[in-house]
Amino acid sequence: IRLTISMLSEMAVPNVEGLSVEDAEAELLSYGFLVEKIKLNANELSEGELAIIGIGVVTQQYPREGEPVSIMGDGIVELYYY
């Protein structure tokens, strides 16, 4: 009898842009990714722009959706938000 066990070492990053930072972080952590939250300087935007973008909402992520990232404890997904 031969038994082969395979563990995923990489996984495609899901799209979390548009989610609250908290929800995006929870989703990524549930898949095994590490998360770094990066708050952008809201002083560079007008009140109208901030109203459209939303405070505490992920506006960009790196790596982008679909890119493979390690889930073995060293795969970091950066979340950018205002």
Side-chain angles (χ1 to χ4, degrees), residues 7-14 28-35 62-64 66-78:
M7 293 181 61
L8 290 175
S9 62
E10 287 188 340
M11 185 173 186
V13 176
L28 292 168
L29 290 173
S30 75
Y31 288 115
F33 297 109
L34 298 177
V35 176
Y62 181 80
R64 306 294 299 165
E67 292 184 27
V69 174
S70 171
I71 56 172
M72 301 301 289
D74 60 351
I76 298 174
V77 179
E78 297 171 351

Side-chain angles (χ1 to χ4, degrees), residues 7-8 13 16 19 21 25 29-30 33 35-37 39 41 43 46 50-51 53 55 60 66 68-69 71 77 79:
M7 293 181 61
L8 290 175
V13 176
V16 294
L19 297 179
V21 174
E25 181 179 31
L29 290 173
S30 75
F33 297 109
V35 176
E36 182 177 355
K37 298 179 284 186
K39 188 170 184 173
N41 186 353
N43 293 335
S46 70
L50 281 175
I53 293 171
I55 301 294
Q60 187 177 2
V69 174
I71 56 172
V77 179
L79 302 178

